[in-house]
Amino acid sequence: MGSNSVPGWRGLNVGVIGGGIGGMSVAIALRRAGHQVTIYEKSDFAGEVGASVSCAANGTRWLHEWQVDVAKGDPVILKQLINRDWKTGEPVSVYDLADYEEKWGYVYNMFHRQYMHAMLKDSALEDQGKGRPAKLLVNHKCKEIDIHSGKVTFDNGVTVQHDLVVGADGIGSAVRGAIGIHPQKRPSEQSCLHANVTTEEAVRLGLVDYSQNSALEYWGGQEGKWDKIVLSPCNDGKLLSYYCFFPREQGDFANQTWGGADLPTEDLLRPYPELDRQVFKHLTIGKEIRPWRLWIHDPYPYIAKGNVCLLGDAGHPMMPHQSQGACMAIEDAAALGIIFDEDHFKGDIGEALAVYNQIRLPRATRVQAAASKAAYNINERIGFSVNKSISTYKVEDPKKILTIEEMNSYDMYKDIDEQLAKRRGTAYTEKYLNGLPIGLELPNGVVVGA
């Protein structure tokens, strides 16, 4: 396999460690770029746990570019972000997404995590579509990697060798240790319990039909407190996915896993004696109550070494409060797909991964920091961060807020072209700086390139 479009381009044999959303995304991206991909999943099933996952325009655009059948994911297209008063439920801050697709070219999708994974898995493994189908091998838990030769050894005794190894194995990544990163993680000040509510049952019981809003809805988060409820509709509104945050001293689930037995409803309701009764009644019929462990990792010094790189939570774990975790994994995958395509890759894996490290780490680290701030201040969350007219608006540093404009104006192709030009000593004449248009004034007052 080869190409004459760029001298030195060559098809690679790529190993992806981890078969979740990030692993399937990078398998699609590298398949489309002309490479042979094998995905190794440690469990006996490549799947996802949880319920909802956000995919804003900066993630959705790559699904379309890769020709993923997005309808298979049965998404809700978000129309609003709503922050409600903790006690009354009245809207405090609303960010309207009515012109979102017109402005950014793509919708803001909310997926059920398992449906999104199945959608991506189909695109990665199916015969139709550009590139050779990826292979999936389950029950392959990574044991060690030689980062220079690409030799991977698994717990089951199997040894393989790849030109490029991508670590998409999540927050507990084994690949991360192989490239010399051993984070000192610490539990968050928050705990989180997740519960599912079906719209059908809520309506049957005469409760508020939140599915009608097609909105990502929040209760609390305005007063520097850890208490917050996040409602994410998915499955075309049929399922309401609740993430319920509270101070860790009210319930420490750091050492419990999602796969354990469902917790009692009392554990979910106990922290919220003053919560708006309308959403509280929803929580009383919550099912599949599971803990979501929140671990804080400081930014890593690099995400690539030798012929190995990290992707998604393996490379930049972040708190969920910017709803950008999946998008950052998808962007990582897109970056690798571009860097290793026939227009950019000249056969030097070291150069390619250096560029990957250079463009992905700063952007993901910025989102990581913003997510930590939004944990206790909803005004730091993308969208609400520009609603300055509300009486409770207060942010740590107005110049550093994260905005939809910064996330969605970003052009990854331009960023990669700029960094490759610098490395190769060639001219770069585009009016872009690190992927953002020079002269663009962001809502936080920062002018790109000023």
Side-chain angles (χ1 to χ4, degrees):
M1 182 167 60
S3 169
N4 295 320
S5 61
V6 174
W9 187 89
R10 58 193 172 102
L12 302 177
N13 190 329
V14 183
V16 175
I17 311 299
I21 284 173
M24 293 299 167
S25 295
V26 75
I28 298 168
L30 290 172
R31 170 189 174 172
R32 297 288 187 255
H35 305 288
Q36 179 61 62
V37 182
T38 304
I39 306 161
Y40 301 94
E41 168 57 38
K42 67 181 178 182
S43 70
D44 59 0
F45 169 71
E48 282 282 346
V49 294
S52 64
V53 59
S54 292
C55 193
N58 62 306
T60 298
R61 66 156 296 176
W62 300 109
L63 302 182
H64 288 282
E65 184 153 327
W66 298 332
Q67 299 180 314
V68 172
D69 185 354
V70 175
K72 280 186 180 178
D74 198 23
V76 169
I77 296 173
L78 293 182
K79 297 177 182 176
Q80 289 179 309
L81 306 176
I82 304 173
N83 179 219
R84 297 181 179 275
D85 182 86
W86 183 255
K87 296 180 181 179
T88 68
E90 289 299 311
V92 175
S93 183
V94 177
Y95 189 87
D96 193 358
L97 301 172
D99 63 347
Y100 189 87
E101 183 179 14
E102 180 184 350
K103 197 169 185 178
W104 304 115
Y106 303 92
V107 299
Y108 193 143
N109 285 305
M110 182 65 66
F111 291 102
H112 188 297
R113 190 173 289 270
Q114 285 94 323
Y115 280 64
M116 183 184 191
H117 181 267
M119 169 191 83
L120 293 169
K121 182 180 172 185
D122 284 350
S123 285
L125 305 183
E126 66 191 3
D127 289 334
Q128 57 263 46
K130 182 182 176 184
R132 285 188 283 173
K135 298 175 184 176
L136 171 64
L137 298 176
V138 297
N139 293 313
H140 279 65
K141 184 178 181 181
C142 178
K143 183 178 180 181
E144 57 186 35
I145 303 173
D146 183 319
I147 65 171
H148 300 294
S149 70
K151 179 181 175 183
V152 184
T153 304
F154 299 94
D155 272 0
N156 59 11
V158 172
T159 298
V160 297
Q161 193 155 7
H162 291 282
D163 301 313
L164 170 67
V165 178
V166 181
D169 51 343
I171 194 166
S173 173
V175 180
R176 187 168 56 217
I179 68 169
I181 298 175
H182 304 280
Q184 296 298 311
K185 67 178 184 179
R186 58 194 184 277
S188 168
E189 297 292 332
Q190 274 179 319
S191 287
C192 179
L193 291 179
H194 176 268
N196 286 324
V197 173
T198 64
T199 295
E200 181 182 20
E201 184 177 6
V203 170
R204 180 170 54 79
L205 294 173
L207 307 183
V208 175
D209 183 0
Y210 290 116
S211 72
Q212 296 297 311
N213 299 335
S214 297
L216 194 55
E217 305 196 42
Y218 301 79
W219 281 257
Q222 287 279 6
E223 300 168 349
K225 296 178 180 178
W226 296 114
D227 298 308
K228 183 167 63 178
I229 305 291
V230 184
L231 163 58
S232 312
C234 49
N235 281 143
D236 196 29
K238 296 186 286 293
L239 187 71
L240 305 175
S241 177
Y242 282 97
Y243 294 90
C244 304
F245 299 91
F246 47 86
R248 188 155 54 92
E249 58 264 23
Q250 293 191 28
D252 188 350
F253 300 97
N255 294 313
Q256 295 192 34
T257 61
W258 191 285
D262 293 350
L263 296 172
T265 309
E266 291 74 23
D267 285 0
L268 184 66
L269 302 179
R270 189 181 303 113
Y272 305 125
E274 297 184 319
L275 177 62
D276 166 26
R277 291 297 97 176
Q278 299 203 76
V279 70
F280 187 88
K281 288 176 183 176
H282 269 239
L283 299 185
T284 64
I285 59 170
K287 304 290 192 301
E288 299 170 315
I289 299 168
R290 307 280 177 85
W292 188 10
R293 294 182 297 176
L294 301 174
W295 291 96
I296 297 172
H297 289 227
D298 292 329
Y300 305 151
Y302 54 88
I303 54 173
K305 193 172 185 180
N307 290 349
V308 179
C309 66
L310 304 175
L311 178 146
D313 282 348
H316 38 73
M318 58 185 69
M319 293 288 100
H321 305 288
Q322 292 290 358
S323 306
Q324 275 285 324
C327 285
M328 289 297 99
I330 291 169
E331 282 194 2
D332 290 346
L336 290 170
I338 297 168
I339 291 167
F340 284 99
D341 72 14
E342 295 186 6
D343 293 327
H344 297 89
F345 183 49
K346 292 189 175 181
D348 186 341
I349 293 173
E351 176 191 64
L353 290 185
V355 170
Y356 173 72
N357 191 77
Q358 195 167 6
I359 70 160
R360 291 307 304 150
L361 197 54
R363 183 164 163 90
T365 297
R366 173 147 166 70
V367 176
Q368 205 175 20
S372 293
K373 291 179 185 177
Y376 54 87
N377 182 359
I378 195 75
N379 298 298
E380 296 277 2
R381 200 262 184 216
I382 301 169
F384 299 133
S385 63
V386 297
N387 280 356
K388 301 176 183 178
S389 61
I390 68 166
S391 60
T392 54
Y393 183 85
K394 185 178 181 181
V395 295
E396 184 179 302
D397 185 342
K399 293 287 186 182
K400 293 182 179 178
I401 59 171
L402 200 58
T403 66
I404 285 177
E405 286 75 11
E406 180 178 346
M407 299 310 297
N408 292 347
S409 296
Y410 175 70
D411 188 320
M412 190 181 291
Y413 283 98
K414 297 289 196 300
D415 198 2
I416 290 170
D417 287 344
E418 180 184 358
Q419 303 310 324
L420 278 174
K422 288 178 180 177
R423 289 188 167 272
R424 294 172 179 173
T426 57
Y428 178 77
T429 58
E430 299 280 359
K431 303 297 184 184
Y432 280 76
L433 179 64
N434 299 324
L436 291 173
I438 291 174
L440 173 69
E441 184 174 356
L442 299 171
N444 56 9
V446 172
V447 178
V448 176

